[in-house]
Each structure stands twice: as C-alpha cells, then as structure tokens.
Amino acid sequence: MRAAHKYLLLYILTTSCVVVNTFDPVTTTVVVGFGATLGRTIWNYLHESCEPRWIAFNATGLEADLNRKLFGQHIASRIILKAVNGFMSNENPKKPLVLSLHGWTGTGKNFVSQLIAENIYREGMDSSFVHVFTSELHFPHSSQIETYKIQLQQWIKGNVTNCARSMFIFDEMDKMHPGLIDSIKPYLDYYDKLDGVSYRKAIFIFLSNAGGESIIQTALDFWTSGRIREEIELRDLETVLSLSVFNNKKSGLWHTSLIDKNLVDFFVPFLPLEYRHVIQCVLSEMEARRIPPDKNVADQVARDLIYFPKSERIFAVKGCKTIESKLDYYT
Ligand SMILES: *[C@@H]1O[C@H](CO)[C@@H](O)[C@H](O)[C@H]1NC(C)=O
Ligand SMILES: *[C@@H]1O[C@H](CO)[C@@H](O)[C@H](O)[C@H]1NC(C)=O
C-alpha cells in the first residue's frame, strides 16, 4: 500500500474515533459499526488483493514499455510480448507460463521481469503476489537443501493458493542447487491440479547467464562480417544457446531436466549491449529522473565504461547495469 494511502486511512479512522466519543452508547454502537464497515471498505479499496482492480494485464502498456525502455533487445522484446500477451489473454491456460531469460550481466533480464510485473500488477515489483528468489539470499547453504526444498514448495503452494495469478522470479538460476529446481518441476507441468491447487495461471521467470557467451559470440560474428545486429534472428541463437546450455556441466543440470520435459515455454536470449545502447540507457534514466536529457553527459558516461573484446571495444562489459549509480557522479 502506498504511504499516502496509509495516512489517509489512518486519518479517517482517527477522525471517526473522535466523533464516536461525543455520542451516547447507542449512537456510539451504530457509529462504530458504520465506522468499521467504512473502514473495511476503505481497507479493501486501498489494500492489495487478488482481484482485477489490482491485477489486470495492460498489453498496450507492456508493448510501449518494451519499445521505449528496453534497448538493443529486438529478439527478447518480441518473444516476451508474444508470450505474455498469449498467456494473459488465455482464460484457461494448460500450464503456467515459464520463461527462461539468458544473457550477460546488465543486458536487461531483471529489467524485463520488472516491466512484466508492472504491466500485470498495479503495485509492480512491490506487489505481494510477485516473489523473487535469489540463491545467495534464500538458499545459501547447500547442506540445508532438503529444508529449502520443502520450504520452497510450501511457499509456492501457499502463495498460489492465495492467488492463482502469482509470479515467481528466480534470479541467478545458475547458482541454484539442481535439487531445488527438481523440487519445483511439478508446478511447471501440465497438471490440472496438484493437491487441489491449480498452478496454471502462475508465471515463472528464470534468469541466468547460461548461454551468455555463445550469444555474445553470435553477436560478434554478425558484427565482424558487417551484418546489422537487428538481422540476428532467434534461430541464429537457438542452436548455440541450447548447445552451450546442454553442454555446460555447471548450468546444464537444471536446464536439461527442464528442457527434456518441455517445461520451459520460451527461451529468451539477451544480446550484449553496444555503446549506442548505453547512451539510450543513460538518456532514459535521465528522463525517469526528470533531468533534461543531455547528450554530452550521456556520451561521457558511456565513454567511461569498459568494452570488449579488448581490440574492437564493441560491447559494454556491464551493459547498462551501473548506469544508475554512475549518473549520480556525472550530474
Ligand atoms: C496501459 O498502458 C498505457 C501505456 O502506458 C497507459 O496509457 C494506459 O493508461 C494503461 N491502461 C491502464 C488500464 O492502466
Ligand atoms: C509466499 O512466499 C513468500 C516468499 O516470497 C513466503 O515468505 C511466504 O511465506 C509465502 N506465503 C505463503 C502463504 O506460503
């Protein structure tokens, strides 16, 4: 709930208490009763619940956000829009939506998850129906894996029971214990119900660096042969992505088991970002902060980043990740 709303609610409740004190007992009861009903109505109105008032997909909003705020990701942007549109407009999906986002640091995987959340939940990432899990934060000790498994299953079950339209984001999937992934597999599958709970309206998003290097290689090959980046198509990446994901011992484990059963609906590759995309990120961040967009500042910020490969300096090592903090320093 937004702070302003909290104060409003507090104000109304306090005022009704003051009013109540000046009446006789009978009137007091009536007024208190009325106050309680009013209070509850206001509470329901202001407090997030699993209802269309709070959860409603805005397809136009998602498309606009992807076009205006996400840079250099023509493939990811297209897949995300199609996947989320299709899923959200289906009244009766056969399984939950499972997206696996791949790519190097700072290319926009977290950001895209945020855009999806913002266009489904009025409270966006602050929604009580959006859950983010990070290996290091939530499941740090591999010795406690059995406890984590049970806990995670309970969390997913509990939250989906509360609200079918729940969203679960698993950050740094590469670092997740494979056993943990196994424990959530049933929820991603084509079951009508598990223990009386249907998971079909939930959304699962996995974020990882797996395959990031082969995506970079493909982008680099295009650049070297003088082809336009926007000509890279999903099929150019699909093979390298699945090869590197399957063959990578470290990240392969969880992927293999998810791919084998076709539990992942969409693999979404994120390309490494070039100088011009960094410029766009900086200008966009300025706009968000309501600072007049300044091309010179943007140039300065972008110039001071590190690029690779060393000789050609094409892609930003950290993408747009550090822009926010850098901007404080330059403005
Ligand atoms: C959906 O998003 C568009 C573009 O951001 C916005 O103008 C519109 O008000 C939104 N619609 C709803 C119902 O929130
Ligand atoms: C929902 O998930 C959160 C973790 O994001 C957990 O703390 C909470 O207990 C879960 N709720 C239920 C009802 O299981």
Side-chain angles (χ1 to χ4, degrees):
M1 185 159 45
R2 284 180 204 100
H5 287 163
K6 273 194 191 130
Y7 288 123
L8 176 66
L9 183 56
L10 203 62
Y11 174 75
I12 292 168
L13 293 180
T14 338
T15 339
S16 32
C17 289
V18 173
V19 170
V20 165
N21 282 337
T22 58
F23 288 118
D24 62 84
V26 178
T27 321
T28 306
T29 318
V30 174
V31 174
V32 167
F34 176 71
T37 316
L38 183 66
R40 207 174 311 123
T41 313
I42 295 171
W43 174 258
N44 286 344
Y45 187 75
L46 297 178
H47 189 260
E48 191 187 29
S49 58
C50 183
E51 283 163 24
R53 199 181 114 68
W54 294 95
I55 307 177
F57 177 52
N58 185 347
T60 339
L62 181 60
E63 184 167 13
D65 279 351
L66 289 169
N67 284 337
R68 283 188 312 133
K69 299 180 185 166
L70 181 71
F71 306 112
Q73 304 299 352
H74 64 283
I75 302 173
S77 165
R78 217 160 42 211
I79 304 176
I80 294 286
L81 189 62
K82 185 174 146 231
V84 179
N85 267 351
F87 180 72
M88 292 303 290
S89 54
N90 184 351
E91 272 303 302
N92 198 9
K94 293 282 175 285
K95 73 184 281 301
L97 177 65
V98 184
L99 303 173
S100 192
L101 316 192
H102 300 259
W104 211 243
T105 326
T107 49
K109 302 186 299 287
N110 277 296
F111 185 59
V112 159
S113 317
Q114 183 191 324
L115 294 183
I116 297 174
E118 283 171 359
N119 284 288
I120 295 179
Y121 305 91
R122 260 185 57 183
E123 301 285 285
M125 292 301 282
D126 293 332
S127 165
S128 47
F129 308 118
V130 175
H131 308 274
V132 181
F133 300 109
T134 312
S135 175
E136 276 160 33
L137 201 65
H138 296 93
F139 322 108
H141 309 294
S142 57
S143 58
Q144 288 174 33
I145 185 73
E146 293 309 316
T147 316
Y148 294 152
K149 278 188 193 172
I150 296 167
Q151 200 174 49
L152 181 58
Q153 288 182 329
Q154 279 170 352
W155 283 348
I156 294 179
K157 183 175 178 190
N159 281 298
V160 174
T161 307
N162 276 347
C163 186
R165 278 267 184 246
S166 287
M167 185 161 137
F168 302 92
I169 301 169
F170 291 79
D171 197 3
E172 299 184 334
M173 192 72 167
D174 325 57
K175 296 187 186 141
M176 225 40 100
H177 192 290
L180 211 51
I181 313 297
D182 269 340
S183 74
I184 63 164
K185 262 160 64 181
Y187 306 118
L188 313 178
D189 215 335
Y190 290 84
Y191 292 116
D192 191 11
K193 279 182 178 169
L194 283 176
D195 285 341
V197 182
S198 169
Y199 296 85
R200 294 172 162 200
K201 290 203 162 168
I203 298 180
F204 291 83
I205 303 180
F206 302 134
L207 314 181
S208 79
N209 292 337
E213 273 154 31
S214 22
I215 297 173
I216 290 173
Q217 192 53 53
T218 307
L220 195 56
D221 290 346
F222 265 71
W223 189 88
T224 320
S225 57
R227 299 175 66 187
I228 311 173
R229 172 193 179 94
E230 284 69 26
E231 279 176 8
I232 304 177
E233 290 185 39
L234 180 60
R235 63 162 178 271
D236 295 316
L237 295 165
E238 257 173 344
T239 331
V240 286
L241 194 56
S242 62
L243 274 182
S244 67
V245 165
F246 272 123
N247 293 340
N248 186 336
K249 292 256 159 24
K250 226 172 63 206
S251 67
L253 289 166
W254 65 269
H255 274 104
T256 319
S257 70
L258 293 179
I259 296 166
D260 279 352
K261 292 196 73 192
N262 284 319
L263 297 181
V264 174
D265 300 298
F266 296 91
F267 285 93
V268 190
F270 283 72
L271 300 168
L273 297 181
E274 298 172 12
Y275 184 90
R276 58 189 165 123
H277 304 120
V278 175
I279 297 277
Q280 287 178 300
C281 289
V282 181
L283 292 175
S284 169
E285 180 63 26
M286 287 176 145
E287 193 188 325
R289 292 189 193 182
R290 302 189 196 289
I291 328 177
D294 186 334
K295 186 76 171 35
N296 289 332
V297 174
D299 259 325
Q300 231 176 328
V301 177
R303 254 200 315 268
D304 286 353
L305 297 185
I306 302 166
Y307 295 82
F308 70 95
K310 272 212 180 76
S311 45
E312 294 97 339
R313 300 187 78 237
I314 308 164
F315 304 121
V317 171
K318 291 196 174 157
C320 283
K321 195 168 191 150
T322 53
I323 297 299
E324 262 180 57
S325 51
K326 286 248 160 55
L327 198 53
D328 293 332
Y329 176 80
Y330 288 94
T331 50

